[in-house]
Every structure is written in C-alpha cells, then in structure tokens.
C-alpha cells in the first residue's frame, strides 16, 4: 500500500476516533462482502460490471484465467497451440463437473463461444470476442477457435470467457438461468434476495483449489460510509470501492485496513480536435502543458494511483517503457494560448458524470483556468454523458473526463476504441493512425507490435487527442485477518482467500 501523506493521515485520525474500537469479527464459517450495488445479472454472458463480476466469477470457470502475478494460465483449457495466424486449438480438461454433477465438455465451450458472439443474443461483451469467426469441437477433447484475422489480444479476452452448461441453459431459458445460475466454479449459487444479498456455498467437489470459507454472502450497500462502518464493526469482512479519504479512515481504525492495487484503468482528459479553436494544435498543446499529474495523484488521490504519460498503464501488454508524455509547463501553456489569440478565449465545455471523482474534474478545470482558459464543467447523468461523448465529433463536448478499462490488459482494448476512426468513442479520423492501429491489432510478433504502439503513443503526445493522467488504483477495505491481496484485474477469487492463523 502507498504511504498516506502525514497531514492527511492526521486529519483522518481526528475524524475517525469512533472507529478505533476493536471489531467483533464475523463468523469464520462465512465470508461477508459488501458491494456497492447488487449484481445486474448472474448470467456471465449478459452483463459486464464490477458488482456482477465479483459474484459470478466465483460461480463459473473461464476458458483461461490469470494468476496473482497477472500471467495468463490454464483453467478450463489445460493448454493451447497457435496452429496458424488465425487458428488456436485448446485442450479441454476432462475432470470438470458442473454444480448439478453433469460433466463440462468441449461442446459446452463451443456453445459458450457461440452464445456470447451471437449478435442476436446481444451480449455487452460481444465486441471483445467479435474477431472469433467460428468454434468447433475436435477429436481428443479439443476445441478450435478461428478468428477473422490474426488477433494477439484474443488470449487476454478469453480470460473473461465463462463456460456455461449448454443443456441447462437451453432447458431453463435465459431468464431462469440468470435467477439460478449453474456453473462449475469453486462456489455454488445458493440464493438471491433482490436488493439485499446473494448467497454462495462452497463447491466441495471442485476440481481445483477449494475455498476456505464454507459460505459467502455478497450484500448491496450503496453508501460508502456504511460499508466502512460495517467493516469496522465486524459485520463484514471485505468491502469494495473505497476512495482515499475512506481508506485513511480504515488506516486509522483497529483490526481493519485498506488494500489497494494499481489496475489497468487509465484516466485521461479527452480533447476534441474537431471543435473550433481546438482544431489548432497549439491550443491542445497548451491544455496538455497545463495539467499537473503529480499534483492530482498526490494531492487528491492520496498517492494510491500513479501518474502516466501515455494512454496505457504498465498492466497492459503494449506499455512502452520509458516513454515520456507532455510535460507540465504552465508558462509554456500561457505562451501558446497567447499565440493562438481570440479562439483561445471562448468557453470550453468539459463533460463529466457523477460516476467520476468530481474533485479530479474540478482540479483539471482549475489548472486550465490558471493558464487563461475559460472552462465550464457540464455535469450530466451517465446516459446523457455517454450519448454526448459518443456523438458526432462536431456536436460533442470540447473536452471530457474518462477512465478506460478493457479488462483484457492489452493495448488493443484501450487505444483501438479510443483512437480508431471506426469507433464511436474516437474523436480522431486519421488514416495513417488507423493503419498503425490495425497493424498492431493483427501483429503476432511481440517486438514488432510494441513498435507499433510506440508510434501510437507518439501520435497521442504530438497531436494531443487525449491527455493521459494516471493509472487508477482500486481500493478495498478488509479485515486484518483476511489473507488476500488485490490484483490489477479487479477480481475477487474467493478460493484464493483465507483466514490468517
């Protein structure tokens, strides 16, 4: 965990004297986890949000997974071979059973691929698997996936592919399966009280590492202060989505503490070069020079996050080691604004949504104001925000705050949607950049691919389509006797947790 500045910690101690009493810890037979919201769905192909993922990832096994070091390792597939630039053959384990006792077969793997890639099914994860052209069962407990083009990021995407039982899904129907999901993972679905909690029980017949806890409950606790109070009192063992201020409260309490990890999420300020004034590179450069990343991270984020100068994080394949972004230089920003003249005096709209930390947005506004720009924050609900930033560039805001994650830990999942002209997220239309992004997407040689991504980051720096800000941290709160360390992929694998001796 990163150190909390001394003055900030002192303030936290003064504010949290009521939180220092020893906690009466929850029943050791039960792990209690406080989420922000209840899951939207427990069908792993129907939803992709943290509160759903935290739960269903323990019910289902995935084709591949990541170990605690972030490396892609076997799960349902024991091994794989790239037999051509567009074909991969996976060997499927023959000792996995679903929770009803039926065997997991290669046909279930093929069915899961076909289900999530069917446009009519409408999975929100479709784009992550859209390069898969076909899936077929081969002799010898094998499955072959064929892609429409070489796609080295596929392995990172397949880490997210949960395997569902074809016979059960088709027999129950989509809606019923969501109400009572059946997987093959280390925990079984036990019940769901809507708006309150989801209950899981340990799968004692699990083929892999079984869990320590006989049961686990995931509760919906929207108020962050309540989550902290639950943890301190011993009513819960693990809580999600802490901000730095709450983390400091936990650090000042007895028997609990914050747990953090740097994730693959990259925060950035998007700059719309299609708008009047901002079509002048000098004004975009001035915006970039006005931003003090270090101040944001240390002053507002408690030092948990990490400043980055490229539109990626070190957690991504494609991170360019040693790359320098645009430097903080407010004097240079003022000089460039003076060169631009009148176009730099107009009001610049800055779109944001309540889901983002508004302290960051306000700090960015202040930094831009201090160098002479007129920036107005436009706060809207998330649906309106998404509609605006994904609209036609000429109609979109001048600037917007964003945090991006593909959950694949691969550069393609970040820079392609944010920069390629075909993407609704992109405010860029540049044929040369498109060609580099496409070349990187299909390049199987790691060094050549990294070279392409260096060119991409140089383009972002030189053209200021975005101003990269920081690698976002994820902060949890946990009982001191819970053995667990968070990882960049933001997973809560219950069978990788235990009580300390």
């Amino acid at each position: 965990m990163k150190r909390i500045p001394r003055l900030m910690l002192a303030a936290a101690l003064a504010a949290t004297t009521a939180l220092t009493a020893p906690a009466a810890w929850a029943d050791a037979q039960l792990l209690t986890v406080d989420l922000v919201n209840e899951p939207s769905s427990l069908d792993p192909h129907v939803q992709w949000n943290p509160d759903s993922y935290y739960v269903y990832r323990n019910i289902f096994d995935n084709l591949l997974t990541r170990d605690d070091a972030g490396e892609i390792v076997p799960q349902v597939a024991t091994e794989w071979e790239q037999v051509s630039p567009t074909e991969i053959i996976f060997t499927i384990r023959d000792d996995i059973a679903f929770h009803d006792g039926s065997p997991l077969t290669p046909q279930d793997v093929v069915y899961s691929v076909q289900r999530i890639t069917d446009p009519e099914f409408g999975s929100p994860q479709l784009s992550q698997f859209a390069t898969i052209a076909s899936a077929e069962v081969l002799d010898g407990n094998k499955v072959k996936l064929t892609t429409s083009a070489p796609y080295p990021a596929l392995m990172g995407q397949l880490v997210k592919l949960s395997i569902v039982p074809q016979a059960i899904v088709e027999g129950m129907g989509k809606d019923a399966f969501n109400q009572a999901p059946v997987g093959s993972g280390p925990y079984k679905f036990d019940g769901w009280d809507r708006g309150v909690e989801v209950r899981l029980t340990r799968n004692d017949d699990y083929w892999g590492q079984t869990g320590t806890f006989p049961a686990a409950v995931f509760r919906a606790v929207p108020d962050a202060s309540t989550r902290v109070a639950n943890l301190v009192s011993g009513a819960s063992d693990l809580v999600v989505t802490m901000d730095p201020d709450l983390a400091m409260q936990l650090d000042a309490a007895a028997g609990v503490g914050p747990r953090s990890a740097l994730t693959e999420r990259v925060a950035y300020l998007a700059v719309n070069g299609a708008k009047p004034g901002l079509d002048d590179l000098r004004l975009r450069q001035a915006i970039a020079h006005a931003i003090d990343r270090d101040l944001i991270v240390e002053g507002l984020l408690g030092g948990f996050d990490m400043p980055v100068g490229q539109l990626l994080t070190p957690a991504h394949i494609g991170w360019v080691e040693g790359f320098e972004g645009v430097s903080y230089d407010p004097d240079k920003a003022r000089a460039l604004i003076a060169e631009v003249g009148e176009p730099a005096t107009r009001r610049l709209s800055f779109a944001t949504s309540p889901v983002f930390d508004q302290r960051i947005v306000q700090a960015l506004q202040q930094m831009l104001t201090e160098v002479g720009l007129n920036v107005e924050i436009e706060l809207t609900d998330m649906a309106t925000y998404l509609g605006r930033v994904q609209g036609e560039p000429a109609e979109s805001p001048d600037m917007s705050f964003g945090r991006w994650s593909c959950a694949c830990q691969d550069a393609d999942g970040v820079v392609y949607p944010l920069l390629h002209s075909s993407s609704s997220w992109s405010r860029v239309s540049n044929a040369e950049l498109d060609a580099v992004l496409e070349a990187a997407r299909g390049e199987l040689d790691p060094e050549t691919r990294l070279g392409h991504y260096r060119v991409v980051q140089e383009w972002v720096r030189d053209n200021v389509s975005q101003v990269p800000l920081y690698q976002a941290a994820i902060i949890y709160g946990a009982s001191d006797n819970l053995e667990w360390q968070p990882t960049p992929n933001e997973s809560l694998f219950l069978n990788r947790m235990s009580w300390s001796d």
Side-chain angles (χ1 to χ4, degrees):
M1 188 190 101
K2 291 184 177 291
R3 289 185 177 276
I4 298 173
R6 187 179 300 274
L7 290 177
M8 297 175 69
L9 179 57
L13 285 167
T16 59
T17 55
L19 301 182
T20 58
W25 300 115
D27 185 348
Q29 299 298 304
L30 176 72
L31 181 77
T32 301
V33 182
D34 283 356
L35 307 177
V36 179
N37 302 296
E38 72 171 339
S40 301
S41 171
L42 293 180
D43 182 332
H45 299 164
V46 169
Q47 191 49 264
W48 182 253
N49 63 61
D51 291 316
S52 297
Y53 178 76
Y54 286 144
V55 180
Y56 75 62
R57 187 61 183 87
N58 291 286
I59 299 172
F60 295 90
D61 286 320
N62 285 14
L63 186 65
L64 306 172
T65 191
R66 291 185 186 273
D67 62 19
D68 290 340
E71 296 298 320
I72 296 174
V73 295
Q75 193 158 62
V76 170
T78 60
E79 58 185 7
W80 49 90
E81 181 184 3
Q82 184 100 37
V83 296
S84 82
T86 59
E87 296 173 303
I88 306 177
I89 295 178
F90 296 87
T91 301
I92 307 304
R93 296 188 68 97
D94 60 5
D95 59 349
I96 300 179
F98 289 111
H99 296 152
D100 72 333
S102 62
L104 186 155
T105 69
Q107 181 55 44
D108 292 308
V109 174
V110 168
Y111 173 76
S112 298
V113 172
Q114 292 173 339
R115 186 175 190 246
I116 207 167
T117 57
D118 180 2
E120 293 188 6
F121 181 75
S123 173
Q125 302 175 54
L126 174 61
S127 63
Q128 300 164 21
F129 303 100
T131 59
I132 300 176
S134 66
E136 58 183 306
V137 175
L138 303 180
D139 291 338
N141 231 46
K142 297 182 185 299
V143 167
K144 183 172 77 170
L145 299 186
T146 302
T147 56
S148 56
Y151 185 49
L154 179 63
M155 302 304 288
Q157 303 289 18
L158 291 174
V159 166
K160 298 175 288 181
L161 178 65
S162 295
I163 307 305
V164 301
Q166 179 176 1
I168 295 175
V169 173
E170 292 181 339
M172 296 176 66
K174 178 179 174 182
D175 292 341
F177 185 72
N178 178 45
Q179 297 295 323
V182 176
S184 63
Y187 280 80
K188 303 177 182 181
F189 174 78
D190 185 51
W192 187 353
D193 294 337
R194 290 287 182 166
V196 181
E197 65 182 28
V198 178
R199 297 179 300 278
L200 306 182
T201 56
R202 183 173 58 202
N203 177 11
D204 290 325
D205 297 322
Y206 187 55
W207 61 271
Q209 178 180 340
T210 57
T212 297
F213 321 108
V217 59
F218 291 83
R219 305 187 302 190
V221 185
D223 181 70
S225 297
T226 303
R227 295 197 298 277
V228 169
N230 286 346
L231 181 67
V232 172
S233 70
S236 63
D237 306 298
L238 176 63
V239 301
V240 307
T241 316
M242 299 287 98
D243 64 28
D245 291 339
L246 291 171
M248 286 186 288
Q249 292 184 30
L250 291 179
D251 211 45
V256 299
R259 309 274 180 97
S260 70
L262 290 167
T263 73
E264 65 151 17
R265 295 181 186 273
V266 59
Y268 59 91
L269 174 67
V271 184
N272 188 351
K275 301 299 287 287
L278 293 176
D279 55 3
D280 188 323
L281 174 60
R282 294 172 298 174
L283 185 53
R284 302 198 302 274
Q285 289 173 330
I287 290 171
H289 283 300
I291 304 303
D292 187 345
R293 301 178 184 85
D294 291 334
L295 181 60
I296 290 172
V297 168
E298 294 299 327
L300 293 177
L301 298 175
F304 288 93
D305 305 68
M306 186 179 82
V308 293
Q310 58 186 288
L311 200 59
L312 289 174
T313 76
H316 290 101
I317 294 174
W319 168 262
V320 182
E321 201 67 46
F323 182 86
E324 296 290 337
V326 179
S327 63
Y328 171 57
D329 190 339
D331 290 336
K332 188 168 185 178
R334 295 185 185 95
L336 287 166
I337 290 169
E339 285 183 25
V340 172
E342 184 179 352
T345 64
R346 78 173 183 87
R347 182 186 68 84
L348 298 174
S349 59
F350 185 7
T352 184
S353 165
V355 72
F356 301 122
D357 187 338
Q358 296 309 299
R359 299 175 306 163
I360 305 299
V361 174
Q362 292 163 9
L364 291 169
Q365 179 196 39
Q366 181 177 346
M367 291 173 185
L368 296 172
T369 299
E370 287 177 351
V371 298
L373 297 176
N374 179 14
V375 178
E376 182 176 337
I377 294 173
E378 296 180 351
L379 178 68
T380 62
D381 62 84
M382 191 60 175
T384 302
Y385 166 88
L386 291 173
R388 296 192 67 202
V389 300
Q390 291 183 281
E392 290 296 320
E395 305 299 324
S396 297
D398 296 302
M399 297 180 292
S400 58
F401 179 77
R403 296 202 326 166
W404 193 270
S405 168
C406 69
C408 62
Q409 297 184 223
D410 191 281
D412 179 77
V414 179
V415 296
Y416 196 95
L418 290 180
L419 298 172
H420 195 275
S421 60
S422 66
S423 171
S424 63
W425 287 98
S426 175
R427 306 276 73 86
V428 176
S429 182
N430 183 283
E432 292 183 2
L433 179 62
D434 281 353
V436 177
L437 290 166
E438 291 161 9
R441 165 170 274 199
E443 179 56 61
L444 297 178
D445 178 72
E447 289 302 317
T448 303
R449 192 166 184 248
L450 183 60
H452 291 318
Y453 284 127
R454 174 176 284 278
V455 172
V456 170
Q457 298 302 335
E458 289 171 347
W459 193 96
V460 172
R461 178 191 61 196
D462 296 344
N463 291 272
V464 197
S465 55
Q466 287 90 2
V467 181
L469 299 173
Y470 56 87
Q471 179 183 15
I474 183 75
I475 308 174
Y476 307 86
S479 161
D480 285 350
N481 63 352
L482 181 66
E483 293 288 340
W484 171 72
Q485 180 59 38
T487 58
N489 59 21
E490 302 179 47
S491 297
L492 299 183
F493 293 110
L494 298 182
N495 63 330
R496 301 185 191 180
M497 302 178 186
S498 63
W499 298 125
S500 59
D501 295 332

